[in-house]
Amino acid sequence: MTAQAPAATPNLDRGIIGNAGLAALIDDQGGLDWMCAPRMDGDPVFCGLLGAGEGEGDGDGCWRFRLSGQRDSSQSYQRNTAVLETILTDDEGNRARIIDFAPRFVMAGRIFRGHSVVRIVEPLSGTPRLTVSLRPRFDYGLQRPEVTRGTNHVRYVLGPQLMRLTTDAPVEYVLSETPFLLEHPLAFILGPDESLSDHPMAIARRFLRDTRRYWLDWVRSLALPADFQEVVIRAAITLKLCSNEETGAIVAALTTSIPEYGASGRTWDYRCCWLRDSYFTVQALNSLNATRTMENYLVYVSNLAAGSESGYMQPLFGLGLERSLDEHIVPGLPGYRGLGPVRRGNAAWTQVQNDGYGSVILAAIQCFFDERLPDMGDEGLFRRLERLGAEAEARWNQPDAGLWEFRTRAEIHTHSALMCWAACDRLARIARKLGLTPDEARWRASAERIRSAILEQGWNHDRGCFVATFGGDEVDASLLLMAQTGFIAAEDPRFLATVAACEADLRFGNHLYRYRRPDDFGAPETAFTACTFWLIDALVRTGRGDEARGIFDDILSRRNHLGLLSEGVHVESGELWGNFPQTYSMVGLINTAMALSRRWEDVL
């Protein structure tokens, strides 16, 4: 294999392509270095983001196009789509363009989302010389595939699955990584081991045309704010790419084990469906009129509820409804910047987190009230949700790991109790809408009982604010959601005092920590971007809109070059850390833009 120039220090300057079934990350040089197959939570066939395979050189686990003498690159999305363009320039001024996408379009009355990646490479000026390097791995970086070639394709045996690259480029040059003149556009289609029905370029161009049309139509249907439209469009597309349309699940992020910061050991697998995170994603997309994700997600959680005899819901599940997601250290990958360990699975599935019941019911409530939906919520769905409400009634005052998923301590978390209150409160509202008067009375009484207890036990009289745990004396960022969930009015002095306490204890400049109390790994070193958005929401609700706008402008400047955010920001360096892209963070962009935007009447 041809040696490559040493890579720059890895960062999160990456774009995403996908189709709500497959997703891939592409760096700012056009290198595809993260893609799992056959599902978004599967074995990464491209794993370069987390380091080359053990004992191997740079470039393993990546798919790169590189110009001889390459000196520069630029990158952008085609407007209002998930089609990514990267332009490469060599030291003689020759230029080439890479067009990357995953096919998604309407075909024969249904959505076609082929499990494939399409890459078109074309000369823009001069006579660039191109090197193609395609080095997939499997078994989490431990194994190289068997490779066989055909006239116009290469077959890769990646453990139990086969993948085929079909191309009109010289196959010999691809396999030997030999530089060659890029004299005309070339198509590369990597997907299942199946023959194409037409010439690779004809397929690639048709898929590109139809995929662009799909995304343009999807964006056109969004109910956008007057301001920050590009911010919201990119965030909405990104959230769509984090959904698994086949099952309705939504991943918290597309990656595993990108550290929360440095050598902290805080490396988690976020390629799972958290009930909590999914609620926030559904809520944000609903606000934009993109309700199909909610409809698909309700099918997913209905299956989860049907599979639970008692009504108990663990906090996270696999994309295919898997309940056992045992956590393992992966030996074959050193980790992002060598900062392991790399993990597969997440032990949080074994935890008790009592906020999930409210999360599911909050995600479902719109389907009972939104007359635009072809299939609105009915009494059958209400009865299924009641099983979750019964768990909330029983668990609201029981110790749990909380939304921050503490691994070595359990307490009665105010936020968990709050979400159990929300479960009962929303069930009462749904029952009223359906005319189920006895059920409304039952759930309203439960909600009032839980609310009274939170007001008493979640309040610290010495500090004069709500606190993170019953009987505790510390705050955490989840308390900022009390007004957003409707538990307490934003102008209530108790909420105002709680906002002030969160700012005093958790705010660092324009960033907010989720908590400051040391946990299993010590004190957190990065601000949790979702929490900063929660602060902005609280500031807007309490009449501090100008200040909220200043913080939002700061966060916008922290996005990568394509408008994407990871889990957190290091408060001193401003660098993005944590799994990427983080749905929590992209949700915050949408919600905040909607809250801070001017009205359309004030713009037109």
Side-chain angles (χ1 to χ4, degrees):
M1 293 185 177
T2 303
Q4 295 186 341
T9 301
N11 56 44
L12 294 179
D13 288 338
R14 282 166 165 75
I16 309 158
I17 59 171
N19 58 13
L22 169 146
L25 270 58
I26 296 174
D27 68 22
D28 57 1
Q29 304 292 313
L32 194 163
D33 62 1
W34 185 257
M35 187 178 87
C36 300
R39 303 191 325 190
M40 291 185 284
D41 59 351
D43 191 358
V45 295
F46 293 107
C47 55
L49 177 67
L50 298 183
E54 188 174 12
E56 302 296 339
D58 174 65
D60 281 292
C62 301
W63 181 3
R64 301 191 182 281
F65 301 108
R66 189 167 184 85
L67 301 188
S68 299
Q70 183 173 312
R71 64 172 172 83
D72 195 15
S73 66
S74 62
Q75 196 171 54
S76 62
Y77 280 106
Q78 292 187 4
R79 179 177 176 270
N80 294 357
T81 75
V83 179
L84 185 65
E85 289 190 1
T86 309
I87 296 177
L88 308 178
T89 305
D90 68 20
D91 52 16
E92 295 181 356
N94 302 305
R95 299 166 67 235
R97 174 167 54 203
I98 309 166
I99 300 174
D100 288 313
F101 66 98
R104 179 180 174 85
F105 47 85
V106 177
M107 183 174 69
R110 58 189 296 181
I111 294 292
F112 172 78
R113 48 178 188 274
H115 198 84
S116 57
V117 170
V118 180
R119 313 193 76 182
I120 300 172
V121 186
E122 55 190 16
L124 289 183
S125 62
T127 54
R129 294 178 71 232
L130 179 72
T131 300
V132 182
S133 171
L134 201 165
R135 305 179 184 177
R137 313 281 294 195
F138 68 97
D139 195 14
Y140 281 81
L142 281 175
Q143 304 292 330
R144 288 183 175 182
E146 288 183 31
V147 180
T148 58
R149 63 163 295 171
T151 305
N152 297 109
H153 72 267
V154 182
R155 180 181 292 109
Y156 299 90
V157 182
L158 295 153
Q161 64 177 322
L162 300 178
M163 298 191 77
R164 177 188 293 216
L165 172 72
T166 306
T167 181
D168 48 11
V171 171
E172 177 61 35
Y173 294 163
V174 173
L175 289 175
S176 63
E177 300 186 8
T178 299
F180 62 95
L181 288 174
L182 180 64
E183 298 178 300
H184 55 81
L186 299 173
F188 299 80
I189 302 174
L190 180 68
D193 185 27
E194 301 168 353
S195 299
L196 297 184
S197 60
D198 203 344
H199 188 276
M201 184 58 74
I203 294 285
R205 292 294 189 196
R206 184 167 74 248
F207 280 10
L208 175 60
R209 178 198 67 202
D210 293 346
T211 298
R212 289 187 71 254
R213 181 181 299 150
Y214 168 83
W215 287 113
L216 291 171
D217 287 345
W218 188 80
V219 168
R220 185 165 54 188
S221 71
L222 298 178
L224 295 173
D227 298 317
F228 312 111
Q229 291 188 37
E230 291 184 3
V231 173
V232 171
I233 288 169
R234 184 52 48 203
I237 291 175
T238 303
L239 292 180
K240 184 71 173 177
L241 298 184
C242 291
S243 67
N244 184 318
E245 197 166 68
E246 181 179 11
T247 66
I250 303 167
V251 296
L254 293 171
T255 59
T256 178
S257 304
I258 300 179
E260 292 183 15
Y261 178 69
S264 63
R266 300 173 186 265
T267 55
W268 315 116
D269 191 347
Y270 278 9
R271 301 169 300 160
C272 308
C273 183
W274 268 262
L275 301 179
R276 177 191 315 113
D277 300 51
S278 299
Y279 152 62
F280 284 106
T281 297
V282 165
Q283 178 194 51
L285 289 176
N286 282 352
S287 73
L288 301 176
N289 195 35
T291 57
R292 286 191 182 274
T293 301
M294 172 188 67
E295 295 175 78
N296 291 336
Y297 178 65
L298 289 181
V299 173
Y300 178 80
V301 295
S302 292
N303 277 302
L304 293 176
S308 173
E309 294 182 3
S310 66
Y312 169 74
M313 296 284 270
Q314 63 193 56
L316 66 148
F317 298 84
L319 302 190
L321 305 176
E322 295 86 359
R323 295 171 183 269
S324 297
L325 303 170
D326 292 337
E327 185 174 302
H328 303 280
I329 301 296
V330 173
L333 294 170
Y336 178 78
R337 298 188 183 179
L339 300 170
V342 173
R343 304 176 198 264
R344 172 172 56 88
N346 197 306
W349 76 270
T350 64
Q351 293 181 350
V352 173
Q353 297 178 28
N354 293 327
D355 62 311
Y357 306 102
S359 296
V360 172
I361 294 171
L362 284 171
I365 189 170
Q366 182 166 333
C367 77
F368 289 93
F369 292 87
D370 193 337
E371 294 287 347
R372 298 170 300 173
L373 299 177
D375 298 306
M376 294 183 64
D378 56 13
E379 185 174 348
L381 177 58
F382 172 73
R383 297 303 177 194
R384 291 195 293 274
L385 295 177
E386 275 195 312
R387 298 178 63 202
L388 305 183
E391 290 293 307
E393 282 180 315
R395 294 175 177 274
W396 68 268
N397 60 351
Q398 299 300 306
D400 71 350
L403 82 164
W404 307 126
E405 301 184 342
F406 297 118
R407 295 197 166 201
T408 58
R409 64 174 184 254
E411 298 172 284
I412 303 174
H413 289 90
T414 302
H415 177 75
S416 296
L418 171 74
M419 293 300 285
C420 289
W421 165 82
C424 298
D425 175 77
R426 271 40 172 204
L427 285 173
R429 299 187 195 188
I430 295 169
R432 182 172 66 246
K433 175 67 165 59
L434 297 176
L436 304 173
T437 303
D439 298 291
E440 178 190 358
R442 176 256 176 104
W443 291 112
R444 179 56 55 208
S446 293
E448 289 302 321
R449 183 173 67 254
I450 297 171
R451 185 175 188 275
S452 296
I454 294 172
L455 292 174
E456 174 61 30
Q457 299 176 58
W459 179 263
N460 184 296
H461 291 278
D462 292 335
R463 293 204 60 178
C465 66
F466 289 105
V467 287
T469 58
F470 282 14
D473 60 4
E474 296 183 342
V475 296
D476 75 1
S478 68
L479 298 168
L480 297 171
L481 297 172
M482 299 183 85
Q484 185 182 120
T485 56
F487 180 83
I488 194 169
E491 63 272 16
D492 190 302
R494 293 170 294 186
F495 184 67
L496 295 174
T498 302
V499 173
C502 287
E503 289 188 89
D505 289 10
L506 306 177
R507 185 171 174 179
F508 186 100
N510 286 330
H511 304 282
L512 202 76
Y513 289 92
R514 52 197 157 172
Y515 52 85
R516 292 297 285 161
R517 176 184 176 187
D519 59 19
D520 321 332
F521 295 83
E525 296 185 68
T526 51
F528 198 67
T529 302
C531 298
T532 305
F533 284 122
W534 297 348
L535 173 63
I536 293 174
D537 178 84
L539 295 181
V540 171
R541 292 175 186 273
T542 55
R544 297 163 63 184
D546 290 343
E547 187 177 354
R549 174 63 183 264
I551 298 174
F552 187 48
D553 288 341
D554 190 2
I555 292 184
L556 292 180
S557 73
R558 309 292 179 173
R559 297 174 300 158
N560 74 7
H561 65 296
L562 293 170
L564 307 182
L565 285 169
S566 65
E567 179 183 32
V569 175
H570 189 255
V571 294
E572 295 177 352
S573 69
E575 187 175 13
L576 297 179
W577 284 89
N579 281 306
F580 176 86
Q582 179 78 2
T583 54
Y584 256 152
S585 301
M586 306 311 292
V587 162
L589 287 172
I590 293 172
N591 291 342
T592 302
M594 299 288 279
L596 293 176
S597 175
R598 293 170 294 171
R599 298 178 304 168
W600 276 102
E601 308 91 86
D602 299 330
V603 175
L604 301 178

